[in-house]
Amino acid sequence: MADTATATAGVDHHDDHGHHESFWSKYCFSTDHKIIGFQYLFTGMAMGLIGGFFSYVFRMHLAFPGSSIPFFGVVSPAAYNSLVTNHGTIMIFWVAMPVLIAALGNFLIPLMIGCDDMVFPKINRLSYQIFLISAIVLIASFFVPQGGFGGAWTAYPPLSAESQYNGTPFGAPMWLIAVTLEIVAFLLGGINFVTTVMNARAKGMKLYDIPMVVWMIVIASILFMASVGPLVAGAVMLLFDQTLGTGFFDPAAGGDPVLWQHLFWFFGHPEVYVVLLPAMGVVIEIICTFSRKKLFGYRMILYSSIGLGILSFFVWAHHQFISGVDPRATYLFTTTTLLISIPVAIMLFAMIGTLWGGSIRFTTPMLFALSFIAEFLIGGVTGIWLGSSGTDIYLHDTYFVLAHFHYTFVPIAIIGTFAAIYYWFPKMFGRQLNEFWGKIHFWGTVIPFNGIFLPLFVLGAAGQHRRIAGFTAYPDLYTENFQDLRVFATGSLIVLILFQIPFFINFIVSLKRGKKAGPNPWKANTLEWVAPSPPPHGNFGDNLPEVYRGPYEFSVEGREDDYWPQNLPEASK
């Protein structure tokens, strides 16, 4: 059936695309999975610049309160709330998800499973169009009267439900509409990803022959689809509270503000793993390629990721230990939070096991992959403290939480993304990024990142609340030692931002002047490296590849080459 699905899909896709398209139809209204992947990638990168600028503004305000911030001006309390809210929203919903899931999923899945396109190319195009509209709505919300939403990215009522509290009567509903549209876009994309992988694999590709990054994107898509329903329902109710005067989350009207927290975090914690799993998959592909080792524990990693996804539905209330939930429930959610660290640890140790004894090459993508493991471990360890109800009561909503959160999400959304771009850039564009500037970019990203967030653990342990716009009003928190840490963290952020300039220059210059890559510059095994670089319309031409083995057959005894592509028959040994 998979062969039939592939062949049938191939006929439909070629008819949809056409070989002689105008610029407008090819790059703006394309149904080609690669172009749609690039659209998600570049839109996510553009939104990342906006989110990064917001972080620069509010960190400068915290370091130098009351000063005029270059390129922005003086930050008012309302502006501070809006900047913090939309920074978090953008980096999660409009950067991490579109790049790690949508961009990589669209570009890689058909190539890595050996088919010519997604099985629903028009739905794929619609997914990006809705996503683009959601981004436009969010950006437009910054320019309405009273500006963008300022009720925190978690949108807790009553702050988010009443304009008299959040001060953004137009920005708040626009924020909700934008998030809802983004969710719809990813639901459509997830349907495509799962259906394509299950029905359009190359001849001979069994389930355990699927590359791990594809598995991770599929599992993440299923997690997203299974968890997002309550949030959509809650978003509709919150929108009605904002615009129609209903009281779903208003205690005075018989509502319950804590209900929103349950609806939000039932989605919000699986969402962490929705973006974590694709990043894990990226790191696995890179580690196997540049250690020239077979993946340690393929099935163990796969089953652990499935177990991780299941457990992620039973930990949400560890975000609510101080919200008034039944104290007996805290024991349950503390236990499940500790349990969920087990599958994550299994996957990380499997990566370390893959590295052990390998012939490691420290290329730029490998450096980012290794730093992902190191940095994410810090986030994981500090998460154990926050998942324990006793310590969370003290640390909740302090800068300790913020530092922990960024030690999980920055390795996922930033370090994982850079690893993927450096690794698959030759396949995407047919040229290689400059290694020297890539390593400059790596060190200029990873070192300042730690300079930003390690001091915040200290501030959080000292009890400093994360949503205070101006510490000058609190003399005990505005001591010289504390303020020096804020200045150091802000300076580190500026250094990190400046070191993104070499990346963008390297990216743009390499598109035209980079060294030509050839089809398989890394000597990897997975099917995307069989196609030309960049892949043409239809990916593989008239002859789709056939699969004879798993994706990680490196350094096979008795074989002259230290890699063995999936499409080479046994006789090639």
Side-chain angles (χ1 to χ4, degrees), residues 529-570:
W529 303 107
V530 175
S533 301
H537 170 81
N539 297 336
F540 301 98
D542 295 331
N543 298 314
L544 297 178
E546 185 172 349
V547 170
Y548 297 93
R549 67 192 56 80
Y552 306 113
E553 297 297 326
F554 291 100
S555 303
V556 175
E557 186 176 354
R559 179 170 169 79
E560 182 178 349
D561 293 330
D562 66 350
Y563 67 108
W564 201 358
Q566 287 186 283
N567 68 309
L568 290 184
E570 295 291 330

Side-chain angles (χ1 to χ4, degrees), residues 216-266:
M216 295 299 189
I217 293 172
V218 167
I219 296 169
S221 299
I222 295 171
L223 278 182
F224 180 81
M225 290 187 284
S227 64
V228 79
L231 179 62
V232 173
V236 172
M237 290 189 287
L238 183 57
L239 184 64
F240 285 175
D241 279 9
Q242 291 174 343
T243 58
L244 301 180
T246 56
F248 291 107
F249 305 112
D250 182 3
D256 183 4
V258 178
L259 172 62
W260 168 264
Q261 296 186 33
H262 286 289
L263 297 175
F264 180 89
W265 287 117
F266 184 80

Side-chain angles (χ1 to χ4, degrees), residues 17-321:
H17 294 321
H19 287 285
H20 303 288
E21 298 176 295
S22 67
F23 178 89
W24 186 257
S25 62
K26 181 176 181 179
Y27 293 106
C28 298
F29 290 93
S30 177
T31 55
D32 189 315
H33 72 97
K34 299 181 290 296
I35 299 300
I36 294 171
F38 292 151
Q39 289 172 331
Y40 271 112
L41 175 63
F42 294 135
T43 305
M45 290 171 69
M47 294 297 286
L49 292 175
I50 296 173
F53 176 73
F54 287 178
S55 67
Y56 152 77
V57 173
F58 64 70
R59 285 261 25 124
M60 285 288 288
H61 169 72
L62 290 171
F64 309 104
S67 301
S68 180
I69 310 303
F71 309 111
F72 187 86
V74 177
V75 179
S76 66
Y80 177 85
N81 288 337
S82 180
L83 289 165
V84 172
T85 296
N86 285 284
H87 165 75
T89 303
I90 287 171
M91 299 308 288
I92 293 171
F93 291 110
W94 277 274
V95 178
M97 290 183 65
V99 174
L100 285 168
I101 301 177
L104 292 182
N106 270 292
F107 184 82
L108 292 177
I109 286 177
L111 285 165
M112 297 188 88
I113 67 171
C115 67
D116 62 349
D117 209 325
M118 294 292 180
V119 294
F120 302 125
K122 291 183 179 178
I123 291 179
N124 209 22
R125 178 177 66 191
L126 179 63
S127 170
Y128 174 72
Q129 291 169 337
I130 294 174
F131 172 75
L132 181 61
I133 292 171
S134 74
I136 292 171
V137 171
L138 184 74
I139 293 171
S141 72
F142 305 150
F143 301 99
V144 298
Q146 283 80 54
F149 178 51
W153 78 274
T154 54
Y156 281 4
L159 182 62
S160 62
E162 298 284 344
S163 60
Q164 61 181 319
Y165 300 143
N166 60 59
T168 52
F170 300 101
M174 290 180 72
W175 181 92
L176 263 179
I177 292 169
V179 171
T180 304
L181 288 172
E182 189 264 359
I183 288 170
V184 171
F186 281 91
L187 284 172
L188 294 176
I191 292 170
N192 233 337
F193 294 163
V194 176
T195 307
T196 300
V197 173
M198 293 299 108
N199 293 281
R201 298 191 304 277
K203 181 180 179 181
M205 179 175 277
K206 300 182 284 293
L207 289 178
Y208 294 122
D209 296 330
I210 297 173
M212 194 54 68
V213 68
V214 175
W215 267 125
M216 295 299 189
I217 293 172
V218 167
I219 296 169
S221 299
I222 295 171
L223 278 182
F224 180 81
M225 290 187 284
S227 64
V228 79
L231 179 62
V232 173
V236 172
M237 290 189 287
L238 183 57
L239 184 64
F240 285 175
D241 279 9
Q242 291 174 343
T243 58
L244 301 180
T246 56
F248 291 107
F249 305 112
D250 182 3
D256 183 4
V258 178
L259 172 62
W260 168 264
Q261 296 186 33
H262 286 289
L263 297 175
F264 180 89
W265 287 117
F266 184 80
F267 160 78
H269 206 85
E271 166 67 7
V272 174
Y273 304 106
V274 167
V275 291
L276 169 64
L277 289 175
M280 286 274 204
V282 168
V283 171
I284 287 170
E285 300 297 325
I286 293 171
I287 284 176
C288 288
T289 298
F290 295 113
S291 65
R292 315 311 287 172
K293 283 278 301 294
K294 185 172 183 175
L295 177 62
F296 181 86
Y298 176 103
R299 297 192 183 196
M300 179 177 64
I301 294 174
L302 178 58
Y303 298 150
S304 295
S305 64
I306 294 171
L308 178 72
I310 294 171
L311 276 172
S312 71
F313 288 96
F314 299 94
V315 299
W316 79 88
H318 69 213
H319 296 273
Q320 300 172 241
F321 285 152

